[in-house]
Amino acid sequence: GQQLNQSPQSMFIQEGEDVSMNCTSSSIFNTWLWYKQDPGEGPVLLIALYKAGELTSNGRLTAQFGITRKDSFLNISASIPSDVGIYFCAGHYAGKSTFGDGTTLTVKP
Amino acid sequence: KAGVTQTPRYLIKTRGQQVTLSCSPISGHRSVSWYQQTPGQGLQFLFEYFSETQRNKGNFPGRFSGRQFSNSRSEMNVSTLELGDSALYLCASSFTQGVSGELFFGEGSRLTVL
């Protein structure tokens, strides 16, 4: 079946630093999505990408849909303590979403 | 607009029992998907319902089943519980998931099997 490789698995950064994480797959997806999950809650959609090569921003977050449709990255600029959480990428194809294993982000004040 | 509501939030069962979890989607959303989340396996797709019909199914045994009602509310059932079924079960709704993939998740039902 389809699998996503998300990296890094975890990150420990200082407040104010930029963050970069990515997802790769051997399969093509029509849509790439990024979610954030806070402790005790369900994932929340951050950014959705629909076209190969598309670059989309949402505040301090920027995500790109890889040109081969097999990868995506998420950047967070000037991190703040509330950025702490688990970030998931998801690829969507034929009515099904496949999720990466998540990147756990810790931000030290 | 109210979000996705899942009940119960927490429950404890013993091996061999069965459990039913409930999900009320966002008003107007007709697609409901279920996911199992465990530390070791991440988010695993269980099944998706649209207009009371199961449209997609993940790789889970037949002990896992679901249904959707005419008001789009959904339930999932796990029979003959095993220790490995302990997990956070997440429900997600979308207007039509098959098109965009944009999911709106509930807070989940945390199941512990003893």
Side-chain angles (χ1 to χ4, degrees):
Chain A
Q2 296 170 321
Q3 283 193 313
L4 298 187
N5 298 308
Q6 185 172 351
S7 64
Q9 194 172 30
S10 60
M11 301 183 75
F12 297 83
I13 61 169
Q14 288 289 142
E15 183 176 356
E17 289 184 355
D18 297 343
V19 171
S20 185
M21 58 191 78
N22 69 83
C23 267
T24 60
S25 172
S26 57
S27 305
I28 288 175
F29 291 103
N30 290 337
T31 307
W32 280 95
L33 308 109
W34 287 90
Y35 294 84
K36 181 192 177 203
Q37 185 174 27
D38 291 329
E41 300 187 11
V44 173
L45 180 65
L46 297 174
I47 291 180
L49 303 151
Y50 300 102
K51 288 184 191 175
E54 178 182 358
L55 185 72
T56 297
S57 293
N58 179 6
R60 294 178 297 105
L61 276 59
T62 302
Q64 183 154 30
F65 191 146
I67 197 71
T68 64
R69 295 167 64 193
K70 294 182 179 181
D71 61 331
S72 177
F73 73 75
L74 175 71
N75 285 344
I76 305 172
S77 62
S79 59
I80 58 178
S82 62
D83 290 335
V84 164
I86 305 176
Y87 292 79
F88 292 96
C89 63
H92 187 74
Y93 182 80
K96 286 174 67 172
S97 287
T98 302
F99 283 79
D101 288 338
T103 295
T104 301
L105 179 64
T106 303
V107 179
K108 298 179 227 176
Chain B
K1 197 178 200 183
V4 177
T5 304
Q6 290 189 247
T7 56
R9 288 292 312 279
Y10 303 91
L11 65 167
I12 299 174
K13 294 284 187 179
T14 56
R15 278 183 300 174
Q17 287 187 310
Q18 67 98 25
V19 66
T20 299
L21 309 177
S22 179
C23 172
S24 293
I26 292 172
S27 177
H29 284 191
R30 297 167 64 190
S31 169
V32 173
S33 303
W34 288 89
Y35 288 82
Q36 181 194 64
Q37 185 176 27
T38 58
Q41 297 293 319
L43 277 153
Q44 300 292 315
F45 174 74
L46 281 155
F47 26 67
E48 185 219 351
Y49 287 86
F50 182 84
S51 293
E52 301 179 67
T53 301
Q54 187 180 88
R55 269 206 313 200
N56 280 300
K57 189 176 188 304
N59 296 324
F60 278 81
R63 300 186 296 108
F64 292 81
S65 63
R67 58 178 176 167
Q68 186 180 33
F69 302 96
S70 58
N71 61 358
S72 294
R73 192 176 70 83
S74 177
E75 288 181 348
M76 69 161 281
N77 185 79
V78 187
S79 63
T80 319
L81 284 166
E82 301 176 0
L83 295 179
D85 296 334
S86 294
L88 181 67
Y89 289 88
L90 290 161
C91 167
S93 78
S94 65
F95 184 69
T96 169
Q97 200 256 148
V99 175
S100 74
E102 294 182 14
L103 298 172
F104 297 85
F105 285 89
E107 293 180 313
S109 293
R110 184 165 295 282
L111 170 66
T112 301
V113 182
L114 302 176

